[in-house]
Amino acid sequence: IQFDNLLINMAREGANLAARTTERPQYILNALADTAHPMQMADHGMMYITRVVGRPDGLGNVEAQFRPDRGETAIASRIWSCGAWDGNGACIVPMPRPIVRLAMDLRDGEVVYAVEAIYEYSPLTRFLLRADPQIYALTVL
């Protein structure tokens, strides 16, 4: 429960910072990961900031995606998975821009930031679970 609450708060604060400040995405992602104690985000977690621009049909185009430039990279985004990253944690978004569907319809030209926080939780016992469950939080602002 504690880790789930931490992830929800990280996604909310990340979306708030991405949408309302001029801070670089890497600064936001690294700052959030540094405050995630007792979780070990560098070893078991991942965060993504995805900038999506609305289309006339209510869907969105992925304009940018960012991930931390340190730590685990094997956990994929559930919004859209980038195929090529630069050395600074920024996605090299292909043309034409990928189309995604969010939980809400977007207005044409509306810009939103979707922040995902994902953690592979290791339970104390493997009595019922064979693999580590993923805890997931998403905030779109």
Side-chain angles (χ1 to χ4, degrees):
I1 293 172
Q2 178 188 17
F3 286 11
D4 188 50
N5 286 337
L6 284 169
L7 284 180
I8 290 168
N9 289 328
M10 289 170 60
R12 287 180 181 166
E13 189 61 27
N16 185 41
L17 290 170
R20 302 180 194 277
T21 70
T22 58
E23 291 293 347
R24 294 176 306 108
Q26 284 306 320
Y27 175 82
I28 295 169
L29 292 167
N30 290 332
L32 291 170
D34 289 345
T35 63
H37 185 74
M39 292 190 303
Q40 299 170 343
M41 288 299 288
D43 296 328
H44 302 286
M46 178 56 72
M47 290 189 72
Y48 292 94
I49 296 175
T50 307
R51 185 173 60 235
V52 180
V53 177
R55 299 164 30 102
D57 59 6
L59 302 176
N61 287 331
V62 173
E63 292 294 320
Q65 189 174 62
F66 305 92
R67 69 179 185 190
D69 54 3
R70 61 185 188 199
E72 175 66 44
T73 60
I75 302 173
S77 166
R78 294 185 188 178
I79 292 175
W80 176 75
S81 290
C82 179
W85 298 91
D86 72 11
N88 298 317
C91 176
I92 302 167
V93 182
M95 293 296 277
R97 298 295 192 210
I99 300 170
V100 296
R101 176 180 298 280
L102 298 177
M104 76 290 283
D105 285 343
L106 299 176
R107 294 184 312 271
D108 189 22
E110 178 180 15
V111 177
V112 297
Y113 291 87
V115 177
E116 301 170 275
I118 312 159
Y119 193 78
E120 290 184 340
Y121 179 74
S122 296
L124 295 175
T125 180
R126 295 263 185 232
F127 183 67
L128 296 175
L129 302 172
R130 295 183 193 272
D132 292 344
Q134 280 189 354
I135 306 170
Y136 180 81
L138 167 67
T139 299
V140 179
L141 187 61

